[in-house]
Amino acid sequence: MRDTPAVELTDVVLRYGAKAALDGIGLTVSPGTLTAVLGPNGAGKTTAVECCEGYRRPDSGSVRVLGLDPIADNAALRPRIGVMLQSGGVYPGARAVEMLRHTARLHRNPLPVEMLVERLGLGSAGRTAYRRLSGGQQQRLALAMAVVGRPELVFLDEPTAGMDPHARRATWDLVRELREDGVTVVLTTHLMDEAEQLADQVHIVDGGRVISSGTPRELTRGGAENTLRFTSRPGLDLGSLRKALPDGVVAAEPAPGAYRIEGEVDPQLLATVTSWCAQHGVLPDSLGVETRTLEDVFLELTGRELRP
Amino acid sequence: MTTTFAPDPGPAPLPRMIAAQTALEIRMLLRNGEQLLLTIVIPALLLVLFSAVDIVDTGAGKRVDFLAPGLLALAILSTAFTGQAIATGFERRYGVLKRLGASPLPRWGLMTAKTGCVLAVEVLQLALLTVIALLLGWSPTGGASAALPVVLLVVLGTAAFSGLGLLMAGTLKAEATLAAANLVFILLLVLGGVIVPLAKFPAAIRPVLEALPISALSTGLRDVLQHGAGVPWPQLGILAVWSVVALAAAARFFKWE
């Protein structure tokens, strides 16, 4: 059972008219992991997740979720998964806690509603009609509804969109805890920090395809090109530094007092720079090594910014 | 080591899910002011107004004896068709139907709950209108033997109007459904033998009006409750045809999102 992937998309194509929303997407989610599907708006993230939830029928390719076909085996699959839509899903006149309690009643052994209300800070919104909740509160209610049935697999479509930093933190904590307790989590996001902070596995999606996959570390480690920056008094003699540096490493002072060293930054290079500083009586105010972010990775892969 | 969220998924027993959904649908409906106006206040007001004031010539006999069956029919129309179409249209628009489609509740369970909600509200409406009509001096005919034909008419009328309402809600945009459902309500109120006797209309268009589901319901109820007729087979036949066609079309064309 543990060998069956929680989610397996193979060469999935789905067109809306002439436009291919999914253009041969393939990805696998192992049970018990937290997977982020990262990409810009319009990349096909939501469509891919909705294929897994049984909302969309692909034109070709195969979709298996918990070993089941999301459309043919929908009745067997639905009780086992938790779904958080990107928006809506609640009667406009329903109160937050009322709707959560109702969702709980549809499950055999739901989580205690009060616990979720408290964890997600919905207490103050409990008697408020859904349409009067803030965007962040609506998101938190949708998240609570997705997990209240103790699912083994949850799909969260942009779970922190519209949340303030405090609510985002609470959501991240809850998502991490889900994973620790053995729930498989698939979330879509266009936020790099969300993917980097939470995910075991990241699939970068663009144009309806996965363009790169790996752990956040694997994805950001690729390519040794890194940057070392330090600040100190302006006008240091970089000539002697350049002589000390290995071939292919470049030193520059792009702004007075701000120094940038680009190349293969490794511990040896750091030692070279600091010993040069010691020889020349230079005390850097700050010194840091910049590694690539998923944003850099995305930019390199597509030539475009991830943020809309 | 906490295992707060340890997976233990599974659906609740079907009767519990359907009961919970029905209760929620009823709460949502009763919380909606416009909906209450349409389903409770308007038929009651029309009954009182047209019974008390001689606005329309309702033929021989007390006006309330003619009007009460017509407004019972209007109550069925308002809840099963207009109210259900508008509510379902907006549920579709707001993703409620989509989200419920991912819950353990099967779609037929949702439809059963909606039907249960409609029937519960109809019982409420019919009880209220009956009390008001009796206070206005209504003396229905037929006695206990009228019960069966009345129940048959109400059930088939509900089926036909629900089918038409869901067809509209599942194919048009929510705003279009809102406008169209209210327009149809007004048209059928005027043209369906609710307040104005069908005999007042030109003979040329009368067969068309008589084939409308609202006319079949109002005429059937009037035959039983005003004229003491037995089972009104022609009207039941018309309602049965509307039910089959409308429900089949709704099942075929309904879009869940």
Side-chain angles (χ1 to χ4, degrees), chain A residues 50 55-56 78-79 83 88-93 95 98 102 105-109 111 115 145 150 181 183, chain B residues 2-5 8-12 16 21 24-25 27 31 91 94-96 98-99 101-105 257:
Chain A
E50 292 196 344
Y55 288 126
R56 314 246 168 267
R78 272 186 283 121
V83 168
V90 180
Y91 295 82
R95 296 170 185 134
E98 175 182 43
H102 175 69
R105 284 203 188 101
L106 302 178
H107 295 272
R108 190 189 60 203
N109 179 26
L111 292 168
M115 181 273 287
M145 286 167 60
R150 298 184 195 266
D181 289 352
V183 181
Chain B
T2 58
T3 51
T4 314
F5 299 104
D8 185 17
R16 205 168 85 197
Q21 187 67 36
L24 182 69
E25 299 267 343
R27 282 204 305 279
R31 203 174 285 166
E91 285 162 19
Y94 290 125
V96 177
K98 179 177 180 178
R99 177 62 184 80
S103 81
L105 179 71
E257 49 170 305

Side-chain angles (χ1 to χ4, degrees), chain B residues 128-234:
Chain B
L128 182 73
L129 286 173
T130 301
V131 169
I132 294 175
L134 291 173
L135 290 175
L136 291 168
W138 183 34
S139 43
T141 59
S145 66
L148 178 69
V150 167
V151 168
L152 282 176
L153 285 163
V154 167
V155 167
L156 277 178
T158 301
F161 290 139
S162 294
L164 292 169
L166 293 173
L167 177 64
M168 191 177 266
T171 51
L172 303 182
K173 279 172 50 173
E175 290 78 4
T177 298
L178 177 66
N182 280 318
L183 180 66
V184 169
F185 180 78
I186 302 285
L187 285 177
L188 293 188
L189 164 63
V190 176
L191 301 175
V194 173
I195 292 170
V196 184
L198 288 177
K200 300 276 179 198
F201 291 95
I205 63 162
R206 218 175 295 149
V208 178
L209 298 186
E210 281 168 357
L212 294 172
I214 183 68
S215 310
L217 185 56
S218 62
T219 306
L221 287 173
R222 206 165 276 134
D223 283 352
V224 176
L225 296 171
Q226 189 182 14
H227 307 306
V231 180
W233 292 112

